[in-house]
Amino acid sequence: MAGDQVTLLDFWASPFGMRVRIALAEKGVKYEYSDKDLRNKSALLLQMNPVHKKIPVLVHNGKPVCESLIIVQYIDEAWKDKAPLLPSDPYQGVQSRFWADFVDKKTLGYVDVALLPFYCWFYAYETIGNFSIEADCPKLIAYCKRCLQKESVSKSLEDPQKVSDFVVMMRKKLGLD
């Protein structure tokens, strides 16, 4: 959809926003990124998402789409000509939403886009919780690492150390440490 105006209202560490960034990258959609301060919500964010007042919000030609998985579905439908995220068969599409039925395939699908943003938060969870996700779920970590080989994924996810530093800072700010 050449000439479209696409803006993503987001917060850099949000796994929900990362879902949207992966889907946009998979589709090759050019967009303006607008990082939002979640403590001081902008007038634009409140106007575009007056119900939940949360990120992410995709603004496509002035029309807002809210909630990350709904945005991913919208992206898949609005830019149908490139890299489908859901199978075209309705039943398979429903199955894909429920189960990661093609997780091991090279094609990135809806379930993959929903799960992968949490990968960059795993290090923070492990550090704070003093456990190893890889020790308990080696197949999950191996799957995530395979997906990181895709440029659309690796360039859309935040650095796990940066996310962990952010979590530590927020915990201190909130008096949890």
Side-chain angles (χ1 to χ4, degrees):
M1 296 165 94
D4 283 353
Q5 184 179 351
V6 181
T7 303
L8 177 59
L9 309 180
D10 196 5
F11 176 65
W12 69 269
S14 169
F16 307 103
M18 288 179 222
R19 286 176 174 171
V20 176
R21 286 180 255 158
I22 291 170
L24 289 166
E26 275 295 299
K27 294 287 190 168
V29 176
K30 302 289 184 222
Y31 64 97
E32 177 186 336
Y33 182 83
S34 180
D35 198 58
K36 295 296 167 192
D37 178 352
L38 301 181
R39 291 184 180 256
N40 299 306
K41 297 178 180 177
S42 70
L44 179 62
L45 176 60
L46 298 174
Q47 177 189 356
M48 294 293 124
N49 191 353
V51 176
H52 297 296
K53 301 173 176 76
K54 296 180 183 177
I55 53 92
V57 178
L58 183 77
V59 184
H60 183 202
N61 293 329
K63 299 176 195 165
V65 182
C66 306
E67 298 295 320
S68 65
L69 291 178
I70 293 169
I71 296 169
V72 169
Q73 288 179 1
Y74 177 82
I75 292 167
D76 197 38
E77 293 172 13
W79 289 276
K80 287 182 184 266
D81 59 326
K82 300 177 193 165
L85 300 174
L86 285 167
S88 59
D89 176 76
Y91 179 76
Q92 288 180 349
V94 168
Q95 290 300 307
S96 186
R97 286 178 182 98
F98 190 75
W99 298 107
D101 65 340
F102 53 88
V103 166
D104 289 330
K105 295 181 184 176
K106 293 282 184 198
T107 304
L108 210 61
Y110 182 76
V111 174
D112 306 310
V113 171
L115 170 68
L116 286 168
F118 292 95
Y119 177 76
C120 61
W121 283 77
F122 287 177
Y123 178 68
Y125 300 153
E126 291 173 324
T127 303
I128 291 166
N130 196 28
F131 69 99
S132 169
I133 295 173
E134 189 163 17
D136 293 327
C137 306
K139 289 182 182 178
L140 174 65
I141 298 302
Y143 153 75
C144 290
K145 287 179 179 177
R146 281 194 311 275
C147 289
L148 279 170
Q149 294 172 4
K150 288 191 69 73
E151 186 176 337
S152 62
V153 175
S154 63
K155 287 192 172 189
S156 299
L157 298 184
E158 290 295 335
D159 175 56
Q161 183 64 56
K162 184 178 176 184
V163 172
S164 181
D165 292 346
F166 170 72
V167 170
V168 168
M169 184 261 311
M170 288 304 296
R171 288 177 58 83
K172 285 180 183 173
K173 218 177 220 186
L174 297 171
L176 299 174
D177 279 340

